[in-house]
Amino acid sequence: MFKFIFGFLFFIVYILKPSIGLAFDSSDPSVSLLQNRISNNFSRKYCNAIQNGFSKDEAMKSAIVKTENIISFSYNPQKKWIEKSDLANQISLQVVSDCGRSIGLIGKDGVNYFKSYFLEIYEKTTPDKNFSR
């Protein structure tokens, strides 16, 4: 009888508190794909502007405005689920990967710097808009 009660209690505890291995990420892959397209588009525009001799500020403003215009006219309903900080992080990773060396940004420090720089310029350039909405 003791084994039965002990086994039953163990079973109840296991059911009420499942192990971490059973958890999974339920994010929508279409949101990730849209976020990838946006970050690739932004990175391409920013890096091209830098290569064409624009200053960092000019290149940033230009890429933000051009990318924002594309997103604004997009009918993709998934854009409302994109978080600004996640998108900024992904854009930063993409830019540092694509042309970070040419602008002196390398590794995690470069990504963090570009992310804060991007968010600062984005707020100044489009204070009434939101990239993802």
Side-chain angles (χ1 to χ4, degrees), residues 14 18-24:
Y14 183 76
S19 66
I20 295 172
L22 298 176
F24 61 92

Side-chain angles (χ1 to χ4, degrees), residues 4-42:
F4 175 76
I5 293 173
F6 182 76
F8 183 72
L9 287 175
F10 182 78
F11 177 74
I12 296 295
V13 169
Y14 183 76
I15 294 296
L16 293 177
K17 187 174 175 129
S19 66
I20 295 172
L22 298 176
F24 61 92
D25 186 17
S26 62
S27 66
D28 189 353
S30 60
V31 174
S32 296
L33 290 173
L34 178 61
Q35 202 167 301
N36 282 337
R37 283 191 5 236
I38 292 168
S39 63
N40 286 335
N41 186 302
F42 179 89

Side-chain angles (χ1 to χ4, degrees), residues 23-131:
F24 61 92
D25 186 17
S26 62
S27 66
D28 189 353
S30 60
V31 174
S32 296
L33 290 173
L34 178 61
Q35 202 167 301
N36 282 337
R37 283 191 5 236
I38 292 168
S39 63
N40 286 335
N41 186 302
F42 179 89
S43 179
R44 189 170 46 255
K45 291 180 185 328
Y46 181 80
C47 292
N48 284 342
I50 291 291
Q51 289 173 353
N52 290 333
F54 283 52
S55 71
K56 288 181 186 179
D57 287 342
E58 290 171 330
M60 180 69 78
K61 289 175 186 174
S62 173
I64 286 173
V65 169
K66 288 177 181 177
T67 304
E68 180 66 49
N69 288 338
I70 292 169
I71 295 168
S72 294
F73 294 108
S74 170
Y75 294 109
N76 191 329
Q78 302 300 329
K79 67 182 180 181
K80 66 183 176 185
W81 300 111
I82 295 175
E83 294 293 328
K84 184 168 56 171
S85 64
D86 291 342
L87 183 61
N89 192 49
Q90 189 162 354
I91 285 172
S92 301
L93 287 167
Q94 191 68 40
V95 168
V96 169
S97 173
D98 290 349
C99 62
R101 290 200 180 272
S102 65
I103 56 176
L105 300 176
I106 301 169
K108 189 174 182 175
D109 291 336
V111 170
N112 291 336
Y113 171 80
F114 192 87
K115 181 179 178 181
S116 64
Y117 176 63
F118 168 80
L119 290 172
E120 176 186 338
I121 300 296
Y122 178 73
E123 291 299 322
K124 290 178 183 176
T125 305
T126 57
D128 58 337
K129 292 185 178 181
N130 188 347
F131 236 169

